[in-house]
């Protein structure tokens, strides 16, 4: 599935009737402790085998004209009709095996009636000739930009059920078919679709016909099109898989930084997953105004062009993680596919987990543990809203972070090689087919003889996470940890059973450890201390293998020892976090000495944030050192957290106005201008060439320049221009928000604002609506907005949207 910004996902709070909760768990293939009607399997009466689509467009009119032919076989003894999804599609002709058939168009699709019932096992062909002005699923970008500056593109986004708006068919993931696509379009552009390019033929009318065909079956929602002004760079993975890197032809310098490590990711995944890439070639294509981060269409991933970066922008944002995520989906999601929304975690948790594994491979163990921590925090935060299980259609955004943590724990429980073997067997057994959670669970029993019912029960079929309260006492020849589980127990949340390590570090530098099952309301772990050594610090679950929250009762000296001497970064980080409320004078020396030992950004960043408000010369020296650090994150944390820039250190901070990172330059410019307004003109002059991804830095520079001198109309006009549909959506949002900060609105901006508020792209419409709402509440602008609305010629739908703001 599409990779979304996890923080932006509002988990669906599913209202469920308690009487539906199953109190005894039946050994079925579809386990759930919650009623899940939305996750039910859809019924259908034929098996789709292949699809041939012949399609063309009139982009200025937003028109799709297509002919689609499906080969299918009835899977009931006798069928007299066939229903296909296709909302708002206008059908011109429908034939069965070449002969016209009766059909009835409904709001959601089409029912085709057979004069003689079709019997099972016989193959038939149904052809639909149609046209559509799709509201979803297929998007025309920039074709109506009156200034002719926007990129012109056509692209699709099928998941979950949006392909049906431009491609009628059985649009559910539980029936796979071989797809073949012929696209005829203006020969100035390039066209990408799924599978191998069979041919690219010139037509006499200045168009070309591109012909793509999939080598194996996949689900209909994974059918894609990407059309625009692109160039293509082709390379090969170690296994021989062809990798096509599509890039916008106007920015060739962005190709390499954008796709950096792509072949390495493919090499890594083929080895790590243990099953070869199945689709022959792999293409990726950036598109403007994409609705999500990226989408794993089979053999042809689409991603937002906000990931298309040059060498300098690469420091501030890169595509590596999303690249690995979508590529993983080529196995988990595309090669094997869940039948319904109940098991989306079988796609997203794996894509998130293997992307994290690639990060470990490339960036090291600390990076991996830090990613695990971010996921654990997201999972625990989601549980504050609801405690829905992973295997549940209402699981929400937790299928990404929690699912990834759970797969890491599964591997921790069964062992690396065992995990690897079971996963490969699971993929091989079900390739080009559909799966349920059961198939994954039973693979561990089939391959390794391991019964993982208990693990799936607590981590996948039920919700929530364990909360531990941990303390310890020193026995005569042992250290005894007392562990209580303090989470609320109910029908979907249970006590967790997990093997957990306790590790006792002694003042002489030696360590004793013990791994025990921790389960039920309370347990103990007894770690022998035969030598009667003096304890330096004790760790519960060192390196944070378990997804949990916990309270460990320790004093300052023990946290200090842990911060200085724990072997794993994440345990040292946890010790620092435990000191957040400690008096600054008590911890300052410790924080500074830990900073000087640490190499990883998370611990350094935590220290800088704890010291940010400390008015002390030692602290100022540390910040001065941090802003000159070679590590991007240290410089970023220092300039972001610094509370006051001492005048004596200003020259050092000014150097950040020429930082290699646009983002750091932008933050430094803002801070310096705020603290030393007298020198604003000088700072602005020094940073006058700033750009940044989606013009972020440029827009901050323009806003500050306008604040400094309102008479410079050039800057204001540039900023207003950035709000227009000639620019991609993130630039437009940045510009709207900058103008809002300036409390400036004119007719041109207002026109842009209405246009953006009505966009199909919710990621543009949402922020634009917020800005419009802000202005509408301002006395200066209220009438201007009301007049604009009253004089406009809006459709009923547009009125409904705008009416929420303009009342
Ligand atoms: Zn995904």
């Amino acid at each position: 599935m599409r990779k979304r910004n996890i923080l932006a996902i509002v988990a669906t709070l599913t209202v469920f009737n308690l009487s539906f909760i199953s109190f005894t768990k039946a050994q079925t293939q579809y386990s759930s402790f919650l009623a899940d009607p939305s996750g039910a399997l859809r019924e259908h009466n034929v098996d789709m085998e292949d699809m041939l689509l012949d399609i063309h467009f009139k982009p200025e009119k937003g028109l799709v004209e297509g002919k689609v032919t499906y080969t299918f076989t009835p899977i009931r003894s006798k069928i007299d009709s066939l229903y296909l999804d296709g909302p708002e599609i206008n059908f011109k002709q429908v034939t069965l095996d070449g002969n016209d058939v009766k059909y009835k168009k409904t709001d959601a699709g089409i029912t085709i009636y057979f004069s003689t019932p079709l019997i099972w096992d016989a193959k038939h062909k149904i052809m639909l000739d149609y046209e559509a002005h799709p509201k979803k699923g297929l998007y025309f970008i920039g074709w109506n930009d009156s200034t002719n500056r926007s990129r012109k593109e056509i692209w699709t986004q099928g998941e979950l059920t949006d392909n049906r708006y431009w491609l009628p068919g059985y649009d559910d993931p539980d029936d796979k078919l071989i797809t073949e696509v012929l696209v005829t379009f203006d020969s100035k552009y390039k066209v990408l679709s799924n599978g191998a390019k069979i041919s690219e033929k010139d037509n006499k009318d200045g168009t070309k016909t591109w012909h793509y065909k999939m080598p194996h079956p996949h689900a209909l929602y994974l059918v894609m099109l990407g059309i625009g002004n692109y160039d293509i760079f082709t390379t090969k993975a170690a296994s021989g898989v062809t990798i096509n890197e599509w890039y916008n032809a106007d920015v060739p310098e962005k190709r390499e930084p954008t796709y950096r490590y792509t072949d390495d990711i493919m090499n890594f995944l083929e080895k790590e997953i243990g099953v070869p890439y199945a689709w022959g070639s792999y293409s990726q294509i950036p598109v403007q105004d994409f609705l999500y981060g990226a989408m794993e269409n089979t053999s042809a991933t689409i991603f937002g062009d906000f990931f298309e970066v040059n060498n300098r922008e690469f420091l501030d944002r890169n595509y590596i993680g999303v690249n690995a995520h979508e590529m993983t989906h080529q196995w988990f999601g595309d090669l094997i596919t869940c039948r319904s929304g109940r098991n989306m975690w079988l796609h997203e948790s794996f894509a998130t987990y293997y992307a994290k594994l690639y990060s470990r491979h490339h960036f090291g163990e600390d990076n991996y543990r830090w990613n695990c921590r971010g996921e654990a925090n997201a999972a625990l935060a989601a549980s504050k809203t609801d405690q829905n299980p992973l295997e549940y259609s209402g699981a929400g955004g937790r299928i990404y972070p929690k699912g990834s943590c759970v797969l890491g724990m599964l591997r921790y429980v069964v062992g690396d090689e065992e995990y690897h073997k079971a996963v490969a067997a699971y993929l091989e057994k079900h390739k080009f087919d559909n799966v349920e959670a059961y198939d994954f669970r039973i693979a561990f029993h089939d391959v390794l003889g391991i019964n993982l019912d208990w693990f799936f029960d607590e981590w996948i079929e039920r919700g929530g996470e364990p909360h531990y309260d941990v303390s310890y006492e020193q026995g005569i020849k042992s250290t005894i940890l007392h562990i209580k589980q303090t989470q609320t127990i109910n029908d979907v949340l249970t006590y967790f059973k997990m093997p957990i390590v306790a590790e006792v570090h002694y003042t002489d530098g030696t360590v004793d450890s013990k791994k025990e099952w921790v389960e039920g309301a309370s347990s103990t772990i007894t770690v022998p201390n035969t030598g009667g050594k003096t304890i330096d610090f004790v760790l519960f679950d060192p390196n944070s293998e378990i997804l949990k929250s916990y309270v460990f009762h320790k004093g300052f000296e023990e946290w200090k020892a842990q911060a200085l001497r724990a072997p794993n970064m994440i345990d040292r980080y946890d010790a620092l976090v435990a000191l957040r409320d400690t008096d600054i004078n008590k911890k300052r020396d410790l924080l500074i000495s830990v900073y000087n030992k640490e190499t990883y950004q998370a611990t350094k960043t935590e220290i800088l944030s704890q010291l940010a408000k400390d008015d002390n010369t030692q602290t100022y020296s540390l910040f001065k050192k941090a802003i000159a650090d070679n590590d991007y994150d240290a410089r970023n944390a220092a300039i972001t957290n610094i509370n006051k820039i001492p005048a004596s250190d200003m020259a050092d901070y000014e150097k950040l106005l020429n930082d290699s990172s646009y983002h750091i330059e932008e933050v430094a410019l803002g801070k310096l201008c705020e603290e030393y307004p007298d020198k604003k003109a000088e700072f602005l002059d020094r940073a006058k060439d700033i750009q940044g991804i989606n013009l972020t830095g440029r827009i901050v520079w323009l806003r500050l320049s306008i604040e400094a001198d309102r008479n410079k109309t050039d800057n204001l006009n540039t900023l207003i221009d950035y709000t227009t549909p000639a620019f991609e959506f993130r630039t437009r949002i940045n510009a709207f928000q900058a103008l809002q900060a300036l409390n400036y609105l004119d007719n041109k901006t207002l026109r842009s604002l209405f246009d953006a508020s009505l966009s199909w792209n919710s990621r543009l419409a949402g922020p634009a609506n917020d800005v419009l709402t802000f202005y509408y509440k301002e006395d200066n602008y209220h009438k201007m907005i009301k007049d604009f609305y009253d004089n406009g010629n809006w459709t009923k739908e547009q009125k409904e949207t705008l009416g929420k703001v303009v009342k």
Side-chain angles (χ1 to χ4, degrees):
M1 182 182 167
R2 53 203 179 256
K3 166 84 175 167
R4 288 182 285 191
N5 180 345
I6 288 162
L7 296 175
I9 291 168
V10 180
T12 316
L13 181 63
T14 306
V15 180
F16 55 87
N17 183 335
L18 285 175
S19 67
F20 283 128
I21 293 176
S22 135
F23 289 98
T24 50
K25 175 140 172 284
Q27 285 298 308
T28 63
Q29 290 196 11
Y30 310 116
S31 320
S32 178
F33 285 84
L34 298 175
D36 194 4
S38 306
L41 302 184
R42 183 177 177 184
E43 296 205 337
H44 54 117
N45 61 3
V46 308
D47 172 35
M48 292 291 182
E49 289 177 17
D50 61 55
M51 176 204 88
L52 174 65
L53 172 68
D54 187 345
I55 197 165
H56 30 106
F57 308 97
K58 294 203 169 74
E60 291 83 0
K61 293 183 178 165
L63 179 68
V64 175
E65 295 173 310
K67 261 188 201 179
V68 63
T69 306
Y70 291 99
T71 308
F72 69 92
T73 311
I75 50 175
R76 310 279 172 82
S77 57
K78 213 183 251 188
I79 64 166
D80 55 14
S81 68
L82 170 64
Y83 176 80
L84 298 174
D85 304 302
E88 294 164 47
I89 285 185
N90 177 25
F91 294 96
K92 297 193 280 193
Q93 190 189 15
V94 181
T95 64
L96 176 74
D97 301 323
N99 302 311
D100 282 344
V101 277
K102 272 195 200 158
Y103 61 89
K104 191 177 160 201
K105 172 84 185 82
T106 63
D107 284 348
I110 181 171
T111 306
I112 298 142
Y113 300 96
F114 310 124
S115 51
T116 313
L118 309 183
I119 53 165
W120 59 14
D121 296 339
K123 267 187 213 230
H124 298 277
K125 279 187 193 294
I126 192 101
M127 189 284 296
L128 304 105
D129 186 354
Y130 66 95
E131 55 180 39
H133 290 89
K135 266 191 244 155
K136 299 183 194 179
L138 184 145
Y139 302 87
F140 296 98
I141 305 298
W143 298 91
N144 293 320
D145 168 31
S146 55
T147 66
N148 207 23
R149 288 180 294 167
S150 171
R151 285 177 178 151
K152 289 183 164 54
E153 297 171 359
I154 303 172
W155 49 260
T156 61
Q157 168 55 34
E159 195 177 33
L160 291 166
T161 53
D162 287 353
N163 268 349
R164 62 184 66 177
Y165 287 84
W166 63 276
L167 171 59
Y170 179 75
D171 190 14
D172 248 62
D174 60 354
D175 186 9
K176 294 193 171 185
L177 68 173
I178 298 226
T179 64
E180 186 172 354
V181 176
L182 290 151
V183 181
T184 302
F185 200 65
D186 189 334
S187 62
K188 277 193 302 211
Y189 297 89
K190 285 199 170 67
V191 175
L192 176 64
S193 190
N194 315 80
K197 189 168 77 178
I198 306 291
S199 64
E200 187 179 320
K201 275 189 210 148
D202 283 308
N203 303 316
K204 283 179 186 159
D205 59 357
T207 63
K208 263 189 185 182
T209 301
W210 288 262
H211 183 182
Y212 284 90
K213 187 172 182 185
M214 281 292 290
H216 303 288
H218 66 146
L220 197 72
Y221 77 90
L222 295 166
V223 170
M224 69 77 72
L225 292 171
I227 302 175
N229 183 17
Y230 295 100
D231 281 329
I232 304 154
F233 174 85
T234 296
T235 180
K236 276 203 192 299
S239 62
V241 171
T242 302
I243 293 171
N244 297 312
E245 300 174 353
W246 289 56
Y247 59 96
N248 279 295
D250 56 335
V251 285
E253 74 283 3
K254 294 193 175 186
R255 198 273 309 163
E256 187 282 322
T258 302
Y259 286 107
R260 199 165 287 169
Y261 314 131
T262 298
D263 51 349
D264 191 46
I265 298 171
M266 180 63 83
N267 297 342
F268 172 81
L269 289 179
E270 289 204 288
K271 191 161 172 243
E272 178 65 36
I273 295 171
V275 173
Y277 177 81
W279 313 106
S281 66
Y282 183 56
S283 303
Q284 300 187 79
I285 184 169
V287 302
Q288 184 173 308
D289 295 343
F290 195 53
L291 297 148
Y292 309 101
M295 175 66 207
E296 70 273 17
N297 308 295
T298 317
S299 81
T301 287
I302 286 183
F303 63 98
D305 63 5
F306 37 82
F307 283 119
E308 203 174 34
V309 290
N310 64 29
N311 240 330
R312 202 174 157 193
E313 292 166 343
F314 178 85
L315 298 170
D316 294 329
R317 183 188 297 150
N318 68 61
Y319 179 55
I320 302 165
V322 178
N323 191 343
H325 179 106
E326 306 307 329
M327 208 188 286
T328 305
H329 273 311
Q330 300 298 321
W331 285 262
F332 301 97
D334 297 359
L335 182 64
I336 54 161
T337 309
C338 63
R339 287 186 179 82
S340 77
R342 192 199 306 262
N343 275 307
M344 284 303 293
W345 75 278
L346 292 174
H347 300 184
E348 297 309 335
S349 305
F350 286 79
T352 310
Y353 178 60
Y354 282 85
K356 188 173 66 172
L357 291 180
Y358 178 74
S359 285
R360 170 153 74 181
H361 164 79
H362 194 85
F363 298 107
E365 180 68 13
D366 288 352
N367 175 282
Y368 175 77
R369 293 293 162 184
W370 185 240
N371 283 337
C372 289
R373 175 53 56 88
E375 291 174 345
N377 288 344
L380 292 164
S383 283
K384 291 194 169 133
T385 306
D386 65 60
Q387 296 179 331
N388 291 339
L390 277 178
E391 185 186 350
Y392 185 56
S393 63
R398 60 167 60 80
I399 55 177
Y400 299 79
K402 179 175 177 178
S404 170
C405 287
V406 168
L407 290 174
M409 288 190 288
L410 181 55
R411 189 174 184 143
Y412 163 78
V413 166
V414 300
D416 281 337
E417 288 176 40
E418 284 77 6
Y419 170 88
H420 189 261
K421 194 166 185 191
V423 167
Y426 158 71
L427 282 170
E428 283 291 356
K429 184 170 179 185
H430 300 284
K431 63 185 178 186
F432 310 120
D433 211 340
N434 291 106
V435 284
E436 299 290 323
Y438 168 83
D439 298 315
F440 183 49
R441 171 159 53 104
I442 212 68
F444 288 85
H445 192 261
D446 285 347
V447 175
L448 308 165
I450 296 177
N451 184 337
L452 285 171
D453 288 359
W454 63 274
F455 184 94
F456 277 66
D457 176 277
E458 64 190 35
W459 288 112
I460 289 157
E461 290 150 19
R462 295 177 191 263
E465 295 79 27
H467 301 281
Y468 299 110
D469 180 283
V470 187
S471 55
Y472 69 89
E473 59 176 317
Q474 286 176 261
I476 299 168
K477 296 264 177 185
S478 64
T479 307
I480 303 146
L481 280 84
H482 297 281
I483 302 130
K484 288 184 208 143
Q485 292 198 46
T486 59
Q487 68 271 20
T488 308
I489 302 303
N490 56 37
D491 297 311
V492 287
L493 182 50
T494 183
Y495 288 120
F496 285 76
K497 166 187 164 184
M498 284 298 281
I500 302 184
V501 174
E503 209 170 76
V504 182
H505 291 250
Y506 304 110
T507 49
D508 67 357
T510 59
V511 182
D512 278 323
S513 77
K514 190 87 184 280
K515 191 193 244 182
E516 294 275 11
W517 287 99
V518 170
E519 57 188 308
S522 62
S523 356
T524 55
I525 303 179
T526 302
V527 185
N529 179 6
T530 44
K533 294 174 180 175
T534 308
I535 293 174
D536 195 17
F537 58 95
V538 177
L539 298 175
F540 171 69
D541 185 30
N543 223 7
S544 220
E545 302 284 356
I546 313 296
L547 168 52
K548 65 183 180 303
S549 71
Y550 75 116
V551 177
F552 198 154
H553 303 278
K554 294 182 200 177
F556 177 77
E557 289 304 322
E558 190 170 353
W559 287 122
K560 180 178 169 181
Q562 184 174 329
L564 286 164
R565 290 185 286 278
N568 299 308
M569 180 279 295
I570 202 70
D571 297 324
R572 297 194 300 275
Y573 170 81
D574 279 343
L576 292 169
V577 170
L579 298 175
R580 276 182 188 168
D581 294 331
T582 303
D583 183 75
I584 191 73
N585 292 311
K586 190 173 180 184
K587 68 182 175 182
R588 181 185 301 113
D589 290 348
L590 170 66
L591 292 179
I592 291 172
S593 64
V594 173
Y595 185 95
N596 289 326
K597 286 176 70 172
E598 288 291 332
T599 54
Y600 191 64
Q601 59 88 8
T603 38
K604 292 203 281 189
T605 300
E606 175 62 26
I607 290 166
L608 291 170
S609 83
Q610 289 193 34
L611 288 170
K613 293 198 170 102
D614 183 28
D615 190 10
N616 177 283
T617 50
Q618 274 178 282
T619 296
Y620 288 130
S621 304
L622 185 73
F623 272 85
K624 200 166 129 178
K625 183 180 165 187
I627 56 164
D629 202 308
N630 281 331
D631 180 356
Y632 170 98
D633 293 294
R635 295 200 308 283
N636 189 25
I639 189 62
T640 305
N641 283 295
I642 184 90
N643 207 33
K644 193 176 118 199
I645 297 173
S648 55
D649 295 342
M650 187 141 63
D652 297 278
Y653 282 83
E654 277 184 66
K655 284 182 193 155
L656 296 180
L657 297 176
N658 298 102
D659 197 89
S660 51
S661 149
Y662 283 123
H663 173 73
I664 291 173
E665 183 179 352
E666 173 199 322
V667 177
L669 179 65
K671 291 245 163 156
L672 284 163
C673 288
E674 195 185 321
E675 273 201 57
Y676 296 97
D678 297 351
K679 294 191 71 184
K680 203 170 190 176
E682 201 182 305
F683 298 143
L684 285 165
D685 187 54
R686 196 154 167 184
K688 65 181 185 303
D689 296 326
I690 188 170
Q691 296 294 319
I693 303 173
N694 309 125
L695 297 173
T696 317
R698 185 86 224 131
I699 287 168
V700 167
W701 187 92
L702 287 167
R703 174 174 59 76
L704 292 167
S705 301
I706 296 163
E707 273 173 6
D709 183 356
R710 289 243 172 193
N711 296 321
K712 283 195 178 163
T713 51
D714 283 5
N715 290 334
L716 185 60
N717 289 337
T718 304
L719 193 51
I720 293 166
D721 190 38
Y722 288 164
T723 68
T724 66
F727 293 86
E728 59 79 42
F729 79 101
R730 291 193 181 202
T731 304
R732 297 183 71 189
I733 294 167
N734 288 337
F736 283 129
Q737 290 170 345
L739 287 163
Q740 179 185 346
L742 293 163
N743 200 10
Y744 177 88
L745 183 69
D746 62 9
N747 272 318
K748 188 174 176 186
T749 311
L750 190 55
R751 221 173 15 255
S752 298
L753 202 45
F754 270 73
D755 169 84
S757 294
L758 294 170
S759 171
W760 46 266
N761 182 355
S762 59
R763 296 211 289 182
L764 171 61
N769 256 296
D770 293 343
V771 175
L772 190 60
T773 305
F774 166 85
Y775 284 126
Y776 196 61
K777 286 181 184 154
E778 295 281 297
D779 291 342
N780 296 351
Y781 301 122
H782 185 88
K783 186 172 180 309
M784 181 181 169
I785 296 171
K786 186 82 172 67
D787 288 350
F788 190 87
Y789 175 72
D790 289 343
N791 296 325
N793 189 13
W794 314 108
T795 65
K796 192 173 156 236
E797 238 176 23
Q798 289 174 330
K799 269 189 184 164
E800 261 170 40
T801 308
L802 294 170
K804 286 175 197 152
V805 179
V806 188
K807 290 171 183 135

